[in-house]
Amino acid sequence: MSGRDEAAVTASTVAAGRAARDLGLRRAEFEIAVHLGLIEVVTARDGGRPRVPEEEITRLRKVPGFPGSMAERVRTVGTAEGAALLGIAPARFTRLARAGCFCPVTFYLNRYRAVVWLYLADELSAFAAREPELLGGRAPVEMRALLEMGVDRRPRNWRSQRIDRLVSRSRDPWARAAVQASALDPVQLAEVVDDPYERAYLVRVRPEPVFGRPASPAAREAMAELLPADDPDEILWRRVSLTLELDRAREDRPAPAPGGDVAVHATSVGGMAGAARSFGGGAGVARGAGGAATGAAAGGAVGAGRAASVSLVVPVPHPATACVEASRVAAAVPPAGAPGPAGCAQGLPRGRGLLARLGWRGRGGCAG
């Protein structure tokens, strides 16, 4: 986007704070509305705070029931209020949440600096209508087994929902790659993106939260702990997703070198790619969870300058109830048609799919 185009966009948009006031929403309500895609925002190509088009504010103010209708759609509840809404005990509500039956939309820290998850009231009502048998009686055996093992799907589902929605509203391929990169710790990220210029650019264009980063040090620490993927299959999926987004971003434009010298950086990356093709026949390497190499992607699908390949055996996740599986499909597992991280999950590529080319060898007999 040129300077003239960015100036035109800025002139026709307003800052998030003013947009929230114009729409009669509190800060938290406005942020959730943007997260859910209820309010359109625009961001400059090289990152920065999102802004709201003036025409979007005008459109929303004309919606029947304004402003109460928007506030009701983004209403959140905690454990006690959520349990009352479903007509169950708070302890059962917590067990259902830990099993992944519904996904938290946000969180806050209480006075003890413990994470308190919040849920959309509309989603809880939809769950009650969809799975009424889980609101009473004994929980399914599989769910009880998972909970006895200490499983807690809430952080993972929150991450997946957050990443998917950020990616869906990001039009720039480098911004989408930056969102995927945010789920990997620095070691994992350096293994997938070995070019320091590209890693720096991913940080630069990463979409900013609507109201900026958490203000308090405790909130920033909590966010830093919750953002990185922590399950082996989740890490593998995020690495594969980042690899795919990087391929698209590199096709769109190279990451600039210090000083904005794109041409020099493009030449150096092209030279590394040529050297990799000469050395390894054009094979690219993907590294799996825990820093182990997961395999080779033909034609440099994972990135230039990598030439070794080995196979990774990924453990099949424990079986879950229909409730858990529905939650994982909705909030944690990639959409239909996309590669998935675990077992025979929906969307897992077979035969010559991406994970097969990355050296995937699952235990569930899913190879094509």
Side-chain angles (χ1 to χ4, degrees):
M1 183 182 296
S2 67
R4 181 177 301 176
D5 293 337
E6 289 191 14
V9 168
T10 301
S12 61
T13 60
V14 298
R18 176 185 161 185
R21 291 193 299 272
D22 291 347
L23 295 174
L25 297 174
R26 296 194 300 269
R27 166 176 171 163
E29 293 174 336
F30 180 81
E31 185 173 9
I32 292 173
V34 172
H35 173 66
L36 297 176
L38 303 178
I39 300 175
E40 179 187 356
V41 296
V42 295
T43 306
R45 184 167 187 169
D46 289 334
R49 296 284 181 85
R51 297 177 64 85
V52 183
E54 292 181 344
E55 60 182 15
E56 176 71 356
I57 296 176
T58 301
R59 181 187 71 82
L60 292 171
R61 291 176 65 90
K62 294 179 180 178
V63 173
F66 174 86
S69 57
M70 176 68 75
E72 182 60 27
R73 294 179 69 181
V74 298
R75 183 168 72 93
T76 58
V77 295
T79 298
E81 192 175 355
L85 182 64
L86 298 182
I88 59 178
R92 190 180 188 94
F93 181 94
T94 300
R95 288 171 63 85
L96 291 173
R98 289 173 63 91
C101 293
F102 35 80
C103 179
V105 69
T106 187
F107 70 91
Y108 70 91
L109 299 183
N110 63 16
R111 59 182 176 177
Y112 305 108
R113 296 190 175 185
V115 171
V116 178
W117 295 106
L118 297 176
Y119 309 84
L120 284 174
D122 281 352
E123 287 192 3
L124 294 181
S125 299
F127 165 76
R130 185 177 64 250
E131 305 281 356
E133 67 279 1
L134 292 176
L135 301 180
R138 287 178 61 83
V141 176
E142 296 87 349
M143 181 187 294
R144 294 202 304 270
L146 286 175
L147 294 174
E148 288 172 1
M149 294 172 57
V151 169
D152 188 350
R153 300 285 186 193
R154 290 175 295 181
R156 175 173 179 163
N157 286 353
W158 172 78
R159 279 192 298 270
S160 297
Q161 187 185 78
R162 178 181 181 276
I163 289 172
D164 291 345
R165 284 175 170 158
L166 279 174
V167 168
S168 68
R169 81 165 191 245
S170 300
R171 299 178 181 177
D172 179 62
W174 279 100
R176 291 195 296 269
V179 174
Q180 298 289 355
S182 68
L184 296 176
D185 63 39
V187 174
Q188 296 280 347
L189 180 59
E191 290 175 349
V192 178
V193 188
D194 56 5
D195 189 320
Y197 297 151
E198 290 185 339
R199 292 200 302 273
Y201 194 50
L202 289 174
V203 173
R204 177 181 173 186
V205 301
R206 181 178 302 167
E208 289 283 346
V210 176
F211 283 96
R213 300 186 182 280
S216 70
R220 288 195 295 270
E221 290 176 6
M223 182 70 77
E225 292 178 359
L226 289 172
L227 278 179
D230 54 11
D231 290 337
D233 60 332
E234 183 189 6
I235 293 172
L236 177 59
W237 168 242
R238 290 304 164 196
R239 292 174 68 126
V240 171
S241 300
L242 174 57
T243 292
L244 293 173
E245 294 293 354
L246 273 177
D247 287 344
R248 301 185 184 102
R250 288 162 176 161
E251 291 176 359
D252 181 72
R253 67 186 187 278
D261 193 349
V262 175
V264 173
H265 179 55
T267 302
S268 65
V269 172
M272 288 190 294
R277 286 192 292 270
S278 300
F279 179 79
V285 153
R287 298 184 182 273
T294 63
V302 178
R306 305 182 179 100
S309 65
V310 296
S311 296
L312 174 70
V313 177
V314 178
V316 177
H318 297 285
T321 63
C323 163
V324 177
E325 289 303 320
S327 172
R328 294 186 65 185
V329 169
V333 174
C344 293
Q346 179 181 4
L348 181 66
R350 300 172 181 268
R352 297 183 181 180
L354 175 64
L355 292 184
R357 291 188 287 114
L358 291 177
W360 174 274
R361 294 194 305 182
R363 295 176 179 172
C366 297

mmCIF file of all heavy atoms in Angstrom, residues 196-215:
data_model
loop_
_atom_site.group_PDB
_atom_site.id
_atom_site.type_symbol
_atom_site.label_atom_id
_atom_site.label_comp_id
_atom_site.label_asym_id
_atom_site.label_seq_id
_atom_site.Cartn_x
_atom_site.Cartn_y
_atom_site.Cartn_z
ATOM 1 N N PRO A 196 16.564 -14.633 9.508
ATOM 2 C CA PRO A 196 16.292 -13.636 10.560
ATOM 3 C C PRO A 196 15.519 -12.429 10.051
ATOM 4 O O PRO A 196 14.750 -11.819 10.805
ATOM 5 C CB PRO A 196 17.688 -13.244 11.059
ATOM 6 C CG PRO A 196 18.609 -13.597 9.941
ATOM 7 C CD PRO A 196 18.010 -14.795 9.279
ATOM 8 N N TYR A 197 15.698 -12.055 8.777
ATOM 9 C CA TYR A 197 14.946 -10.931 8.230
ATOM 10 C C TYR A 197 13.457 -11.268 8.182
ATOM 11 O O TYR A 197 12.605 -10.433 8.470
ATOM 12 C CB TYR A 197 15.437 -10.584 6.824
ATOM 13 C CG TYR A 197 16.867 -10.119 6.764
ATOM 14 C CD1 TYR A 197 17.638 -10.332 5.625
ATOM 15 C CD2 TYR A 197 17.466 -9.467 7.844
ATOM 16 C CE1 TYR A 197 18.955 -9.912 5.552
ATOM 17 C CE2 TYR A 197 18.785 -9.043 7.785
ATOM 18 C CZ TYR A 197 19.522 -9.268 6.641
ATOM 19 O OH TYR A 197 20.826 -8.853 6.569
ATOM 20 N N GLU A 198 13.147 -12.492 7.809
ATOM 21 C CA GLU A 198 11.748 -12.894 7.751
ATOM 22 C C GLU A 198 11.141 -12.948 9.155
ATOM 23 O O GLU A 198 9.999 -12.526 9.351
ATOM 24 C CB GLU A 198 11.613 -14.248 7.061
ATOM 25 C CG GLU A 198 11.899 -14.205 5.569
ATOM 26 C CD GLU A 198 11.638 -15.529 4.884
ATOM 27 O OE1 GLU A 198 11.630 -16.571 5.569
ATOM 28 O OE2 GLU A 198 11.439 -15.520 3.656
ATOM 29 N N ARG A 199 11.897 -13.451 10.117
ATOM 30 C CA ARG A 199 11.371 -13.493 11.480
ATOM 31 C C ARG A 199 11.106 -12.081 12.003
ATOM 32 O O ARG A 199 10.091 -11.827 12.660
ATOM 33 C CB ARG A 199 12.345 -14.226 12.413
ATOM 34 C CG ARG A 199 12.452 -15.709 12.121
ATOM 35 C CD ARG A 199 13.002 -16.457 13.320
ATOM 36 N NE ARG A 199 14.312 -15.978 13.751
ATOM 37 C CZ ARG A 199 15.467 -16.401 13.260
ATOM 38 N NH1 ARG A 199 15.484 -17.309 12.284
ATOM 39 N NH2 ARG A 199 16.615 -15.922 13.713
ATOM 40 N N ALA A 200 12.011 -11.168 11.731
ATOM 41 C CA ALA A 200 11.811 -9.783 12.177
ATOM 42 C C ALA A 200 10.588 -9.162 11.498
ATOM 43 O O ALA A 200 9.824 -8.416 12.124
ATOM 44 C CB ALA A 200 13.061 -8.955 11.877
ATOM 45 N N TYR A 201 10.390 -9.498 10.225
ATOM 46 C CA TYR A 201 9.243 -8.942 9.490
ATOM 47 C C TYR A 201 7.931 -9.517 10.020
ATOM 48 O O TYR A 201 6.919 -8.814 10.099
ATOM 49 C CB TYR A 201 9.395 -9.232 8.009
ATOM 50 C CG TYR A 201 8.461 -8.436 7.124
ATOM 51 C CD1 TYR A 201 8.341 -7.060 7.265
ATOM 52 C CD2 TYR A 201 7.683 -9.062 6.151
ATOM 53 C CE1 TYR A 201 7.492 -6.326 6.459
ATOM 54 C CE2 TYR A 201 6.831 -8.346 5.333
ATOM 55 C CZ TYR A 201 6.736 -6.972 5.497
ATOM 56 O OH TYR A 201 5.888 -6.248 4.698
ATOM 57 N N LEU A 202 7.938 -10.785 10.412
ATOM 58 C CA LEU A 202 6.738 -11.386 10.981
ATOM 59 C C LEU A 202 6.326 -10.676 12.269
ATOM 60 O O LEU A 202 5.133 -10.477 12.537
ATOM 61 C CB LEU A 202 6.970 -12.876 11.251
ATOM 62 C CG LEU A 202 7.075 -13.778 10.023
ATOM 63 C CD1 LEU A 202 7.457 -15.190 10.434
ATOM 64 C CD2 LEU A 202 5.777 -13.786 9.236
ATOM 65 N N VAL A 203 7.305 -10.292 13.076
ATOM 66 C CA VAL A 203 7.003 -9.542 14.295
ATOM 67 C C VAL A 203 6.446 -8.167 13.939
ATOM 68 O O VAL A 203 5.501 -7.674 14.567
ATOM 69 C CB VAL A 203 8.263 -9.409 15.171
ATOM 70 C CG1 VAL A 203 8.000 -8.485 16.357
ATOM 71 C CG2 VAL A 203 8.722 -10.780 15.653
ATOM 72 N N ARG A 204 7.002 -7.566 12.903
ATOM 73 C CA ARG A 204 6.598 -6.204 12.526
ATOM 74 C C ARG A 204 5.162 -6.151 12.006
ATOM 75 O O ARG A 204 4.422 -5.205 12.319
ATOM 76 C CB ARG A 204 7.558 -5.681 11.448
ATOM 77 C CG ARG A 204 7.205 -4.311 10.906
ATOM 78 C CD ARG A 204 8.198 -3.902 9.829
ATOM 79 N NE ARG A 204 7.803 -2.670 9.160
ATOM 80 C CZ ARG A 204 8.436 -2.157 8.118
ATOM 81 N NH1 ARG A 204 9.499 -2.779 7.637
ATOM 82 N NH2 ARG A 204 8.009 -1.046 7.569
ATOM 83 N N VAL A 205 4.758 -7.135 11.213
ATOM 84 C CA VAL A 205 3.435 -7.076 10.580
ATOM 85 C C VAL A 205 2.386 -7.857 11.352
ATOM 86 O O VAL A 205 1.244 -7.954 10.903
ATOM 87 C CB VAL A 205 3.495 -7.605 9.133
ATOM 88 C CG1 VAL A 205 4.464 -6.795 8.305
ATOM 89 C CG2 VAL A 205 3.887 -9.087 9.101
ATOM 90 N N ARG A 206 2.737 -8.412 12.513
ATOM 91 C CA ARG A 206 1.750 -9.169 13.288
ATOM 92 C C ARG A 206 0.589 -8.258 13.652
ATOM 93 O O ARG A 206 0.793 -7.152 14.176
ATOM 94 C CB ARG A 206 2.394 -9.722 14.553
ATOM 95 C CG ARG A 206 1.459 -10.559 15.424
ATOM 96 C CD ARG A 206 2.204 -11.098 16.614
ATOM 97 N NE ARG A 206 3.353 -11.918 16.201
ATOM 98 C CZ ARG A 206 4.317 -12.311 17.019
ATOM 99 N NH1 ARG A 206 4.288 -11.946 18.291
ATOM 100 N NH2 ARG A 206 5.309 -13.057 16.563
ATOM 101 N N PRO A 207 -0.647 -8.675 13.382
ATOM 102 C CA PRO A 207 -1.803 -7.815 13.700
ATOM 103 C C PRO A 207 -1.849 -7.454 15.173
ATOM 104 O O PRO A 207 -1.712 -8.317 16.043
ATOM 105 C CB PRO A 207 -3.004 -8.690 13.295
ATOM 106 C CG PRO A 207 -2.459 -9.654 12.289
ATOM 107 C CD PRO A 207 -1.047 -9.926 12.709
ATOM 108 N N GLU A 208 -2.033 -6.181 15.439
ATOM 109 C CA GLU A 208 -2.113 -5.714 16.819
ATOM 110 C C GLU A 208 -3.524 -5.934 17.362
ATOM 111 O O GLU A 208 -4.504 -5.868 16.618
ATOM 112 C CB GLU A 208 -1.780 -4.213 16.887
ATOM 113 C CG GLU A 208 -0.322 -3.893 16.627
ATOM 114 C CD GLU A 208 0.548 -4.199 17.824
ATOM 115 O OE1 GLU A 208 0.003 -4.405 18.923
ATOM 116 O OE2 GLU A 208 1.775 -4.243 17.664
ATOM 117 N N PRO A 209 -3.653 -6.198 18.660
ATOM 118 C CA PRO A 209 -4.987 -6.222 19.254
ATOM 119 C C PRO A 209 -5.675 -4.887 19.041
ATOM 120 O O PRO A 209 -5.029 -3.858 18.852
ATOM 121 C CB PRO A 209 -4.717 -6.481 20.738
ATOM 122 C CG PRO A 209 -3.355 -7.107 20.777
ATOM 123 C CD PRO A 209 -2.594 -6.501 19.631
ATOM 124 N N VAL A 210 -6.990 -4.908 19.083
ATOM 125 C CA VAL A 210 -7.746 -3.696 18.780
ATOM 126 C C VAL A 210 -7.373 -2.554 19.712
ATOM 127 O O VAL A 210 -7.219 -1.409 19.298
ATOM 128 C CB VAL A 210 -9.260 -4.002 18.875
ATOM 129 C CG1 VAL A 210 -10.079 -2.736 18.655
ATOM 130 C CG2 VAL A 210 -9.633 -5.049 17.849
ATOM 131 N N PHE A 211 -7.212 -2.839 20.993
ATOM 132 C CA PHE A 211 -6.872 -1.799 21.956
ATOM 133 C C PHE A 211 -5.420 -1.901 22.417
ATOM 134 O O PHE A 211 -5.064 -1.410 23.470
ATOM 135 C CB PHE A 211 -7.795 -1.882 23.178
ATOM 136 C CG PHE A 211 -9.149 -1.322 22.936
ATOM 137 C CD1 PHE A 211 -10.187 -2.162 22.588
ATOM 138 C CD2 PHE A 211 -9.399 0.026 23.031
ATOM 139 C CE1 PHE A 211 -11.450 -1.656 22.361
ATOM 140 C CE2 PHE A 211 -10.662 0.540 22.812
ATOM 141 C CZ PHE A 211 -11.687 -0.307 22.470
ATOM 142 N N GLY A 212 -4.587 -2.545 21.634
ATOM 143 C CA GLY A 212 -3.193 -2.672 22.030
ATOM 144 C C GLY A 212 -2.985 -3.856 22.941
ATOM 145 O O GLY A 212 -3.886 -4.634 23.229
ATOM 146 N N ARG A 213 -1.771 -4.008 23.421
ATOM 147 C CA ARG A 213 -1.421 -5.159 24.255
ATOM 148 C C ARG A 213 -1.901 -4.950 25.693
ATOM 149 O O ARG A 213 -2.174 -3.825 26.109
ATOM 150 C CB ARG A 213 0.098 -5.371 24.224
ATOM 151 C CG ARG A 213 0.615 -5.622 22.814
ATOM 152 C CD ARG A 213 2.091 -5.981 22.811
ATOM 153 N NE ARG A 213 2.580 -6.167 21.463
ATOM 154 C CZ ARG A 213 2.404 -7.277 20.755
ATOM 155 N NH1 ARG A 213 1.766 -8.296 21.286
ATOM 156 N NH2 ARG A 213 2.864 -7.366 19.528
ATOM 157 N N PRO A 214 -2.012 -6.061 26.456
ATOM 158 C CA PRO A 214 -2.450 -5.921 27.857
ATOM 159 C C PRO A 214 -1.596 -4.911 28.599
ATOM 160 O O PRO A 214 -0.373 -4.877 28.457
ATOM 161 C CB PRO A 214 -2.272 -7.342 28.414
ATOM 162 C CG PRO A 214 -2.369 -8.234 27.223
ATOM 163 C CD PRO A 214 -1.773 -7.465 26.087
ATOM 164 N N ALA A 215 -2.243 -4.092 29.420
ATOM 165 C CA ALA A 215 -1.535 -2.983 30.058
ATOM 166 C C ALA A 215 -0.677 -3.429 31.228
ATOM 167 O O ALA A 215 0.453 -2.976 31.392
ATOM 168 C CB ALA A 215 -2.549 -1.925 30.514
#
